[in-house]
Amino acid sequence: MSGWQFFTKITLLEWNIAYMIHTSGSTGAPKTVRVPHSCILPNILDLRENFNIQQNDVIFMASPFTFDPSIVDLFLALSAGAKLIQVESSIKAMPLRLAEIIRDEGVTFIQATPSFFRQFGHLSKTHLLYPSTPLRIVVLGGEPFPNPIALEEFRAPGNCTVFYNIYGITEVSCWATLSKIESNDLPADLGYPLSETDLRIVNENEEDITTENGGEGFLMLGGRRVCLIDEETPDSITKPMFRATGDRVQFLNGKLYYRGRTDETVKRMGKRLNLHSIELLALSSGFVQQCCAFLDSNQLLILVCTGIFTVEQLSQYFQENAATIEQPDEIRVLDTFPVSKHGKIDRKKLLQLVQNLRVPEKTLNWETCLAKEWMMATGKTTTDESNFILSGGNSLSAIRLFSKVQEQVARPLPLLIDILLNQSWKHVVDHIREETRKNTEVDSLLNQPTIKIFQRGKQAAQSPKHIDQTSEEASFELKQIWKFSLKKCIDASPLVIQRKEVDAVFVGSHSHHFSAVRLDNGQEIWTTRLPERIESSATCDMDGSNIFVGCYDGHLYCLDARTGNICWHFKTGDAIKSSPVCTGFSVIFGSHDRILYCLSVARGDLIWKRTISAGSLFASPAWDGNNRILSASLDGTCSALTVATGQLLWSMKLATPVFSTPVWCSKLERCLFASVDGFMNCCAADTGDIVWRFRAAGPIFSTPTIREQRILFGSHDNFLYCLHEESGLQLWRVGFTSPIYSSPFAASVIICSDTNGYLKVLEFSTGRLLAQSRMDGQVFSSPVMVDHLVIVGCRDDNLYCFQLSNNLS
């Protein structure tokens, strides 16, 4: 063989492609990367030796095959003869189920993103990082390493699992540096280069920065480990070659530290600001587990955090430890961050989420907001003569205060900033009052409803026309005017939307069919077939254009109200029997996977999710019309949470399961939880403490209805009860022929059905029977009354419509 032929053969072997992969585009435009054996093999051999991977190891593959760490996991296992564990992507979104698999399989090695690992939360102490765990090593990469102090909160005392920080880019497939975490110092260093990997750090003039001279610069990777990117060929490559990472790093005390992305350096107030330094400052406070900093298009610095803390604490920390340019305009607290399919924080989606959360909460008091922001900025309370600047405020905090107040009043206040900087507290307050007063009449006209919505739980807010029942001799009749077959039994309660074009009823059944029918004649408007049974009662958004309904296939579906077309769907880990509630910009619902979900109305993006207890969620959540929701689970856990973030306000435990949807009392100072031991529990809305309890003679599955300080609910003891809202004392009860599962509808009369199919009309004040009819099957659906029409579903497969008439009128 000639020398030329030998050289050619070596060259071909050097560029023998092992696999091809695409970058995610999270650090720029997506690229096609062809990875030679010579580039990936040193990673496999080096890491196998560093982590001492043996035949008895069990490796959990956290990454999908579209993310190159999966290749490392695969060949670490194959080369050592170790066991490899893979699960479906849907299981990865279920922390408890996933933690159970990792524990039961005896996993010894996990390589994942920090975001993936954080999802386990407190479960890690019992399932991953407990004292006798077989889990030897956890390697975290793909994102900045978490605060080591916060990471310790995931460990049980006595746990000895070793953590590593690993760094690399797909363009040099896959990992480039490794650091063993041996202290709680923040941040963790990047460590030393892996085999056949060279690092180069250059300044803005492309001059090399070395360990000896120190400093901050741009990191480049490669040397002998080179991949082919996009249209590159072996002939176009000259080694050593270095790829730009897009990351800033710093040599400090002989170690290399990550200092953020180059595109995270922004201009603010005329100065350069690195957003990663804001994140590090927040993490160093000890209040934050995870955070992302953004400079929004309107030049607001937004810091989004997870962790157990108050915004006031973190704001105070920044005031004491950060320069003016580093002070966040907004601090948002979330339970979890959205992640990409590769397990990294999806920063684009996170920013969209924060922007969507900026929905004005008009029920909040803007004066309270103004006083709170003033106090945070100046540290002083106000008098009529207080001046913002003289009290210690500055122009940046004035802009932050201006933005908050403008959000609260939900209208532009162009003169406010000038008044705030130059005049007194009294002038500021008077100006806002005058601006809000001038717009009250306009708002009143704009907010006139164009539709009316009738469903279980909205009776008191939108009552049907009055029905005269004063005469003892009055004769009423319930006359069936139409029925509509949905092929199988209907347990869901109907939703009725009255609009100018046509009044429509929406309901689903066990036949998988979800239908819209005309209220006046029962004619089908459209029917959409979903993959599984429908037991969840539907709800709609504020203008009635989108319908939301859960399905036994574990999806929540958003349907176009006019066509039935599926706009989007979101998958949970189990069947959805809970009915969703729409809060304007979000839709909230529970699943039998034990998780409460909050999605954006527009696209079904996950805003937050929370596991409150070990019990599945059958009961629907209840919204107070502002920023609180109630949730109840089948293990008896009852909770209050915030709408915006899902933050837990309080939680208490009843002795038996809760199937009935919780209810807010009239003044929102109390709430109701009904349980299967027959108790109606009235609780303080701000603490969950029991105020009073009433016990029926049988289990309560019926959701209570409140109207005119009366609480109405059915029981399995065959009685419909009426209690006084304030005291819980029984005012009257009416016997039915069988247990009452459904919820009564309360207007000028009460409509209620029992499981034997009897539908009764009762006088509101006394419970006197006015009229009744019977359907041909069992009834678990709750009736809805619109004008003089009563709509209810039945287990004989039909949706019924009855007309209530007064024969003497």
Side-chain angles (χ1 to χ4, degrees):
M1 181 184 294
S2 69
W4 182 86
Q5 288 174 318
F6 178 79
F7 176 78
T8 302
K9 185 172 182 180
I10 293 297
T11 303
L12 290 173
L13 287 173
E14 182 181 10
W15 293 105
N16 190 9
I17 303 301
Y19 62 93
M20 183 172 70
I21 199 164
H22 296 275
T23 64
S24 65
S26 61
T27 59
K31 306 179 187 73
T32 300
V33 181
R34 285 166 289 155
V35 182
H37 285 274
S38 59
C39 188
I40 188 63
L41 189 59
N43 242 199
I44 306 299
L45 297 176
D46 205 9
L47 294 179
R48 189 181 70 183
E49 181 178 346
N50 271 277
F51 301 137
N52 191 27
I53 302 297
Q54 302 291 330
Q55 189 172 357
N56 59 354
D57 274 304
V58 180
I59 298 173
F60 176 76
M61 184 185 286
S63 303
F65 278 117
T66 53
F67 191 29
D68 48 352
S70 64
I71 303 297
V72 174
D73 283 332
L74 178 62
F75 285 97
L76 277 178
L78 289 174
S79 64
K83 182 179 180 180
L84 185 69
I85 302 295
Q86 291 178 274
V87 297
E88 295 180 7
S89 58
S90 59
I91 299 295
K92 292 179 184 177
M94 302 167 62
L96 177 58
R97 181 77 182 99
L98 185 58
E100 289 172 344
I101 291 172
I102 291 173
R103 182 191 60 192
D104 295 346
E105 293 291 340
V107 169
T108 62
F109 178 87
I110 294 177
Q111 175 185 222
T113 63
S115 294
F116 178 90
F117 195 78
R118 281 190 190 98
Q119 71 174 320
F120 294 111
H122 69 278
L123 292 171
S124 63
K125 288 187 176 182
T126 54
H127 291 69
L128 281 77
L129 304 179
Y130 51 95
S132 59
T133 180
L135 183 59
R136 297 191 295 114
I137 293 172
V138 175
V139 184
L140 300 180
E143 294 177 305
F145 196 84
N147 183 345
I149 296 175
L151 203 58
E152 287 301 311
E153 296 179 8
F154 291 94
R155 293 182 189 262
N159 171 259
C160 296
T161 302
V162 178
F163 279 83
Y164 286 85
N165 181 23
I166 199 164
Y167 172 87
I169 58 174
T170 300
E171 291 86 338
V172 185
S173 189
C174 159
W175 299 120
T177 69
L178 184 68
S179 174
K180 184 178 180 181
I181 306 302
E182 296 181 297
S183 74
N184 288 336
D185 293 340
L186 179 72
D189 69 286
L190 294 181
Y192 59 88
L194 292 168
S195 295
E196 301 188 33
T197 307
D198 296 323
L199 312 183
R200 186 182 176 203
I201 296 93
V202 298
N203 60 22
E204 292 181 348
N205 298 321
E206 296 193 4
E207 298 169 335
D208 287 325
I209 297 173
T210 63
T211 308
E212 291 74 26
N213 56 29
E216 187 171 321
F218 308 102
L219 178 60
M220 306 182 75
L221 293 179
R224 292 154 289 168
R225 292 180 60 210
V226 180
C227 300
L228 298 175
I229 299 175
D230 292 336
E231 303 302 320
E232 289 179 347
T233 65
D235 294 336
S236 66
I237 299 295
T238 302
K239 292 185 178 182
M241 170 173 272
F242 292 88
R243 305 287 190 189
T245 64
D247 293 327
R248 295 184 67 89
V249 294
Q250 181 182 19
F251 274 126
L252 187 64
N253 299 325
K255 293 184 178 181
L256 189 64
Y257 294 90
Y258 174 77
R259 294 302 187 214
R261 300 281 305 158
T262 55
D263 54 12
E264 289 176 347
T265 300
V266 296
K267 266 204 166 184
R268 187 183 190 220
M269 300 168 64
K271 298 180 180 179
R272 286 181 179 271
L273 175 68
N274 186 277
L275 296 177
H276 185 67
S277 67
I278 306 297
E279 295 168 358
L280 287 176
L281 188 58
L283 290 170
S284 67
S285 71
F287 300 134
V288 175
Q289 290 183 351
Q290 187 180 22
C291 62
C292 286
F294 300 95
L295 193 68
D296 202 0
S297 56
N298 61 2
Q299 296 300 293
L300 290 177
L301 180 60
I302 305 167
L303 184 63
V304 192
C305 309
T306 67
I308 308 301
F309 72 101
T310 64
V311 171
E312 288 79 7
Q313 284 176 307
L314 191 57
S315 296
Q316 186 66 32
Y317 182 84
F318 268 92
Q319 288 178 22
E320 295 172 356
N321 296 279
T324 302
I325 188 179
E326 297 173 319
Q327 301 285 340
D329 295 298
E330 293 184 17
I331 297 176
R332 297 278 177 168
V333 184
L334 300 179
D335 278 335
T336 58
F337 285 172
V339 295
S340 68
K341 63 181 180 180
H342 290 166
K344 299 182 182 181
I345 295 173
D346 191 328
R347 296 181 69 94
K348 291 180 181 177
K349 188 174 287 187
L350 179 59
L351 180 57
Q352 287 177 347
L353 170 59
V354 173
Q355 291 167 336
N356 290 340
L357 287 175
R358 289 186 190 150
V359 176
E361 297 181 54
K362 298 184 182 179
T363 54
L364 293 181
N365 186 319
W366 61 261
E367 289 190 55
T368 303
C369 173
L370 177 64
K372 177 181 174 183
E373 292 296 325
W374 186 297
M375 178 68 178
M376 286 178 60
T378 67
K380 298 175 183 176
T381 55
T382 61
T383 66
D384 282 354
E385 303 306 316
S386 296
N387 177 276
F388 186 73
I389 296 298
L390 296 179
S391 296
N394 56 44
S395 57
L396 184 63
S397 55
I399 292 172
R400 180 164 57 241
L401 186 153
F402 161 74
S403 300
K404 291 282 188 182
V405 173
Q406 192 167 248
E407 277 186 26
Q408 294 299 329
V409 299
R411 59 177 50 86
L413 299 169
L415 301 180
L416 177 60
I417 192 72
D418 184 61
I419 295 171
L420 182 63
L421 291 172
N422 297 291
Q423 298 191 46
S424 69
W425 166 269
K426 185 176 186 304
H427 284 96
V428 172
V429 172
D430 288 346
H431 172 72
I432 300 172
R433 282 179 180 159
E434 178 62 19
E435 290 299 309
T436 53
R437 185 195 63 77
K438 287 192 299 186
N439 287 282
T440 299
E441 186 174 337
V442 175
D443 280 354
S444 178
L445 291 172
L446 290 176
N447 291 330
Q448 290 296 318
T450 57
I451 66 164
K452 289 184 179 180
I453 301 167
F454 298 85
Q455 63 188 117
R456 186 190 69 185
K458 288 199 174 182
Q459 299 90 328
Q462 297 170 326
S463 301
K465 295 176 183 176
H466 182 73
I467 297 170
D468 184 10
Q469 47 180 303
T470 56
S471 171
E472 289 290 336
E473 290 77 31
S475 175
F476 291 88
E477 181 183 12
L478 270 177
K479 180 181 179 182
Q480 179 187 318
I481 61 171
W482 56 259
K483 66 179 180 179
F484 177 82
S485 175
L486 267 84
K487 314 302 181 186
K488 284 191 177 180
C489 53
I490 304 169
D491 285 339
S493 302
L495 162 71
V496 180
I497 300 178
Q498 281 190 315
R499 62 172 85 244
K500 188 177 294 184
E501 313 92 277
V502 63
D503 298 345
V505 186
F506 302 86
V507 73
S509 84
H510 287 220
S511 67
H512 309 186
H513 289 174
F514 187 88
S515 296
V517 301
R518 291 178 63 102
L519 177 61
D520 56 357
N521 59 21
Q523 294 298 306
E524 180 182 318
I525 301 173
W526 51 258
T527 293
T528 297
R529 183 177 174 86
L530 298 183
E532 256 291 356
R533 287 188 290 171
I534 304 165
E535 190 175 324
S536 166
S537 301
T539 193
C540 63
D541 55 13
M542 299 307 184
D543 62 3
S545 58
N546 293 305
I547 308 295
F548 308 103
V549 64
C551 182
Y552 267 51
D553 71 344
H555 285 84
L556 184 83
Y557 289 90
C558 174
L559 308 177
D560 187 302
R562 288 180 169 83
T563 65
N565 293 334
I566 297 175
C567 304
W568 53 258
H569 55 88
F570 179 91
K571 182 169 176 55
T572 71
D574 207 336
I576 301 175
K577 302 178 184 180
S578 163
S579 300
V581 62
C582 182
T583 67
F585 71 94
S586 65
V587 57
I588 301 175
F589 63 98
S591 167
H592 264 50
D593 66 6
R594 297 174 258 184
I595 298 174
L596 190 68
Y597 294 88
C598 178
L599 312 179
S600 71
V601 163
R603 298 192 306 175
D605 294 328
L606 179 65
I607 298 175
W608 54 260
K609 63 180 181 179
R610 176 175 276 277
T611 304
I612 304 169
S613 72
S616 297
L617 298 175
F618 182 92
S620 305
W623 180 40
D624 72 346
N626 185 10
N627 193 36
R628 294 179 299 175
I629 53 170
L630 299 173
S631 176
S633 65
L634 296 187
D635 71 348
T637 301
C638 303
S639 309
L641 308 93
T642 61
V643 168
T645 66
Q647 179 181 354
L648 188 65
L649 300 175
W650 55 259
S651 184
M652 62 95 169
K653 188 81 174 286
L654 297 176
T656 55
V658 177
F659 284 84
S660 166
T661 295
V663 171
W664 292 97
C665 292
S666 303
K667 296 180 182 179
L668 301 179
E669 297 168 354
R670 296 178 180 179
C671 52
L672 300 175
F673 294 91
S675 50
V676 299
D677 56 4
F679 278 105
M680 181 64 65
N681 302 278
C682 179
C683 304
D686 58 347
T687 63
D689 295 334
I690 302 290
V691 177
W692 57 254
R693 305 180 85 195
F694 174 88
R695 188 167 195 175
I700 303 174
F701 290 86
S702 168
T703 294
T705 295
I706 299 180
R707 182 179 173 86
E708 297 178 9
Q709 295 190 314
R710 303 290 190 268
I711 299 171
L712 301 155
F713 65 94
S715 167
H716 272 43
D717 64 5
N718 300 5
F719 281 97
L720 177 72
Y721 289 87
C722 178
L723 309 183
H724 190 275
E725 181 182 3
E726 185 67 24
S727 64
L729 296 176
Q730 179 179 307
L731 300 177
W732 51 258
R733 68 175 187 173
V734 173
F736 279 64
T737 64
S738 62
I740 300 171
Y741 187 94
S742 63
S743 302
F745 191 97
S748 55
V749 294
I750 299 166
I751 312 292
C752 190
S753 55
D754 63 15
T755 54
N756 272 349
Y758 280 96
L759 183 68
K760 296 189 178 188
V761 182
L762 307 174
E763 187 178 67
F764 181 80
S765 58
T766 66
R768 177 171 66 96
L769 181 65
L770 300 177
Q772 68 177 345
S773 184
R774 188 179 186 185
M775 289 161 277
D776 295 331
Q778 290 184 312
V779 174
F780 289 80
S781 169
S782 298
V784 170
M785 186 174 183
V786 182
D787 298 333
H788 290 180
L789 299 179
V790 179
I791 307 95
V792 65
C794 181
R795 284 197 163 184
D796 69 355
D797 306 348
N798 289 300
L799 178 69
Y800 283 87
C801 180
F802 297 89
Q803 184 173 40
L804 177 62
S805 59
N806 185 337
N807 293 336
L808 296 183
S809 60

